[in-house]
Amino acid sequence: MVKKYVVSPHGGRGAHPDIASALRAAAARGRAARVEIAPGHYEEERLALRGEVELIALGEPGSVVVSRPRGTVLDVLGSVAVRGLVLVGRNADAGVVDCQGGALLLDRVEVRAHDGVCVHVRPHTAATLTDSQFWFGRVVFAGSAGHVERCRFADSANNALAVIESARVTMRASRVDGARIHGVRVSDAWAHLAGCEVTGTEKAALMADTRAELTVEDCRIDAVHMAALAFVEQSRGSVRGTRVTDAENGILVASGADPSVHGCVFADCRDTGVHVQDAGRGTFEDCEILGAGNIGVLSTGGGAPRVTGCRVTGGNVGIAVTDKARGRFTRTAVLDLTGVALRVWDESKAVFEQIRVERCPFGLETRGNGGTTAELTDSTIHDFDMAAVAVVGQSRATLKGVSAQRGLLGFSAGEEAQLHAHDCDVSAVTTGGALAHGTARLVVANLRVSDAQSFGVCVTGSAYLDVSHSRFDDCAATGMRFDGSGGGRLVECSVTGTGVTAVQHNGRVDLTTLRTTLPVVRIAEPAAAPTSVVNNYYGPVFHQAVHHAQLAWNNSSVVQQQTNHSDEDGVGR
């Protein structure tokens, strides 16, 4: 049977004046003990709880305060339950509550750790924390098991909750406020969070590192100074149904981590919604990125995410793959940006499939050396301000089944870039369907351009165009135009409509298989610029008579002498 002990600061019949004396009496009997504590403030020595012990406040939760000037307040070794107490400690590096062995229950408990640890659950032990509050210090599960439910962690000077050294912890319906480092850190351990809220952390709100496994479900994270979620150092796990608001990065994945993220919302992130770098990976499905301050989805520095069924709305850049990164993006919508929808730069490689871009100045932009490649397939780019696709530098892009409607220019390749377009469509553009300039190479097959207000395709500079089995309908000025020294070939192409000309060319294009009823006009090459002759005379050049001049050149020193001459009236000059 459980033996009951009563503690009261005012004493009384059968009551102990302090908790330590009640615990000593219980230890002497060696039986399960229930210590009932009357309301009051108890300043105690280190309380050793051994065996089967229950500490319970007789009044409302918070009516019993137990404190110690320095160090641990409760030293637990056994099966211990603490209910309704307030525990206050300072400089408790081992923990205000130090669970060294056995199983611990804290129910409706408040722990305040000034310059220390609130609760330390050591290896091979277990702790359950319910309806409790933990102030200023952190709660540490090290190599232990734990369950946390309906708890609050506030103003921790460190990580609010640390799950480390192969610990396994579940946390439900709990809240973390204002941690100076992380809200929850999982390191070489396992944790499952569900229905939790985290706000105001100075570093990543939820951090998984050192091969950790972290599962996050239906949580809310906001007002974070850095990333809301971070998976690094080969960590794994999943994030589902979670909403992030006002973080620097919605989720950061780096150094070999590979989480699975489903059905999440990343809103108003100050830099990026999804940020993958340094060989990070990750699968992102059915997520929304709303109003990112810089980039909705960023893969950089060797990142390689897989993105499917997502939606990027508002902000500056939609999806960016830069600095030798990779990425595969499928069934994703990018809408209402102020900058570029899809960006591939600097030796990166990206594959885009079934992408919908609407109301963005640029659709796809590639730039970099020959190792920079992009593939865009079965996609639409509508209502763009500038170009649907712009390829520059030495980068290479391949388009298949791409539709571009209502913008300035359909497809553009410049500098030394290469653009291949197959089975594509451009319509209702204010300039033209496709443009090659510089020394770029543009290869198109089964391209249809209609209702262009200027040209179907245009070649300038020394660019090259290879176009086959394509149609150019109702282009206002010309179906095809070749300027400068640019050239190319046409195979089985047609130009229809009421435009001025079918082709304006410079004689450097093969037109043998062109079908059209419109005129074909040879553009007269501009006359050669006149040669400028510059004569450098090694000495002065006179264009009229010069009198009384004194000249010297190619001398290191000059001596000047003045001789007076008289004119007819004898006045010297």
Side-chain angles (χ1 to χ4, degrees):
M1 292 181 59
V2 176
K3 173 64 176 176
K4 183 172 72 174
Y5 301 84
V6 176
V7 177
S8 173
H10 307 295
R13 186 175 179 180
H16 292 268
D18 54 51
I19 302 170
S21 63
L23 291 175
R24 284 193 295 269
R29 293 180 64 95
R31 293 170 51 184
R34 174 186 173 97
V35 180
E36 297 180 349
I37 309 169
H41 186 176
Y42 300 83
E43 186 166 315
E44 299 275 347
E45 60 189 44
R46 184 185 184 107
L47 298 176
L49 283 72
R50 300 292 185 262
E52 187 175 344
V53 180
E54 180 179 13
L55 299 184
I56 183 169
L58 288 177
E60 294 293 322
S63 62
V64 174
V65 178
V66 182
S67 66
R68 189 176 180 217
R70 297 179 64 87
T72 296
V73 176
L74 300 185
D75 180 356
V76 175
L77 183 60
S79 179
V80 174
V82 182
R83 305 181 191 275
L85 275 63
V86 176
L87 306 173
V88 181
R90 292 184 178 276
N91 304 112
D93 293 336
V96 173
V97 179
D98 186 3
C99 182
Q100 300 190 49
L104 169 68
L105 168 65
L106 299 182
D107 178 45
R108 294 168 295 157
V109 169
E110 182 176 334
V111 182
R112 302 175 188 168
H114 300 274
D115 300 319
V117 176
C118 284
V119 181
H120 193 168
V121 187
R122 296 182 181 273
H124 313 300
T125 63
T128 299
L129 316 178
T130 57
D131 298 296
S132 297
Q133 299 183 47
F134 304 92
W135 291 83
F136 315 132
R138 65 190 183 277
V139 173
V140 181
F141 288 86
S144 50
H147 178 77
V148 180
E149 190 158 359
R150 299 181 305 277
C151 291
R152 183 185 179 194
F153 302 79
D155 299 332
S156 174
N158 201 290
N159 305 309
L161 175 64
V163 184
I164 61 176
E165 299 173 10
S166 301
R168 295 180 66 86
V169 174
T170 60
M171 178 176 174
R172 298 183 182 277
S174 297
R175 180 178 177 86
V176 178
D177 300 308
R180 288 292 305 273
I181 302 181
H182 304 299
V184 178
R185 181 193 176 199
V186 185
S187 179
D188 189 24
W190 179 97
H192 185 167
L193 277 62
C196 298
E197 297 182 24
V198 184
T199 184
T201 62
E202 292 194 15
K203 294 191 177 180
L206 305 181
M207 164 65 82
D209 65 68
T210 319
R211 298 170 300 282
E213 184 171 345
L214 171 63
T215 299
V216 181
E217 293 182 334
D218 302 319
C219 292
R220 300 291 180 268
I221 304 170
D222 61 19
V224 180
H225 289 274
M226 297 182 70
L229 301 112
F231 287 80
V232 301
E233 298 171 3
Q234 299 178 300
S235 295
R236 300 291 185 270
S238 67
V239 184
R240 293 179 178 271
T242 293
R243 185 180 183 92
V244 172
T245 306
D246 188 25
E248 186 72 6
N249 314 107
I251 181 169
L252 171 66
V253 182
S255 52
D258 190 7
S260 178
V261 183
H262 304 266
C264 296
V265 177
F266 303 97
D268 301 321
C269 296
R270 297 183 296 276
D271 186 26
T272 57
V274 174
H275 189 127
V276 183
Q277 66 180 41
D278 299 336
R281 299 175 66 83
T283 299
F284 302 86
E285 294 184 350
D286 302 322
C287 296
E288 287 191 79
I289 298 96
L290 309 175
N294 188 12
I295 300 172
V297 179
L298 173 62
S299 176
T300 188
R306 304 169 296 276
V307 178
T308 303
C310 294
R311 182 184 180 96
V312 181
T313 304
N316 182 30
V317 176
I319 298 172
V321 186
T322 67
D323 190 18
K324 298 183 180 179
R326 294 173 291 145
R328 180 175 289 272
F329 307 87
T330 307
R331 292 190 292 104
T332 293
V334 183
L335 314 172
D336 300 308
L337 303 181
T338 60
V340 179
L342 313 173
R343 169 177 288 168
V344 184
W345 282 3
D346 304 329
E347 297 188 58
S348 297
K349 295 173 173 58
V351 176
F352 302 97
E353 300 171 317
Q354 301 174 48
I355 306 296
R356 178 166 61 95
V357 175
E358 294 183 6
R359 298 178 298 278
C360 301
F362 288 90
L364 169 64
E365 172 192 77
T366 71
R367 185 182 73 184
N369 62 21
T372 307
T373 64
E375 297 179 18
L376 180 62
T377 304
D378 296 333
S379 300
T380 60
I381 304 173
H382 294 172
D383 300 298
F384 48 94
D385 295 335
M386 303 300 290
V389 176
V391 185
V392 295
Q394 297 175 326
S395 63
R396 297 172 291 154
T398 301
L399 314 179
K400 298 178 181 179
V402 176
S403 172
Q405 296 181 12
R406 297 184 299 276
L408 180 67
L409 174 64
F411 309 141
S412 171
E415 299 176 3
E416 302 175 65
Q418 298 183 38
L419 175 58
H420 296 252
H422 307 277
D423 304 307
C424 296
D425 178 271
V426 180
S427 62
V429 287
T430 56
T431 300
L435 170 67
H437 57 96
T439 59
R441 181 180 179 88
L442 175 60
V443 179
V444 298
N446 296 317
L447 171 68
R448 182 183 178 188
V449 178
S450 59
D451 298 318
Q453 295 183 21
S454 182
F455 57 82
V457 293
C458 180
V459 178
T460 66
S462 301
Y464 181 83
L465 171 67
D466 187 327
V467 54
S468 62
H469 304 284
S470 298
R471 293 182 56 184
F472 304 92
D473 301 329
D474 298 316
C475 299
T478 183
M480 288 169 276
R481 181 180 179 95
F482 292 80
D483 288 333
S485 60
R489 71 186 187 107
L490 308 179
V491 178
E492 298 294 335
C493 295
S494 67
V495 179
T496 65
T498 58
V500 178
T501 59
V503 179
Q504 293 177 295
H505 70 97
N506 54 11
R508 292 182 171 85
V509 59
D510 181 1
L511 304 174
T512 55
T513 57
L514 175 67
R515 299 187 304 276
T516 186
T517 60
L518 298 175
V520 175
V521 177
R522 172 76 178 266
I523 302 172
E525 294 193 31
T531 302
S532 298
V533 178
V534 179
N535 294 316
N536 292 317
Y537 294 97
Y538 200 63
V541 177
F542 303 103
H543 298 282
Q544 58 184 348
V546 177
H547 300 281
H548 309 307
Q550 299 185 39
L551 306 173
W553 65 89
N554 203 29
N555 292 299
S556 59
S557 62
V558 176
V559 177
Q560 180 174 335
Q561 294 181 341
Q562 180 70 43
T563 302
N564 291 332
H565 298 276
S566 298
D567 57 13
E568 294 177 350
D569 59 9
V571 179
R573 292 176 179 249

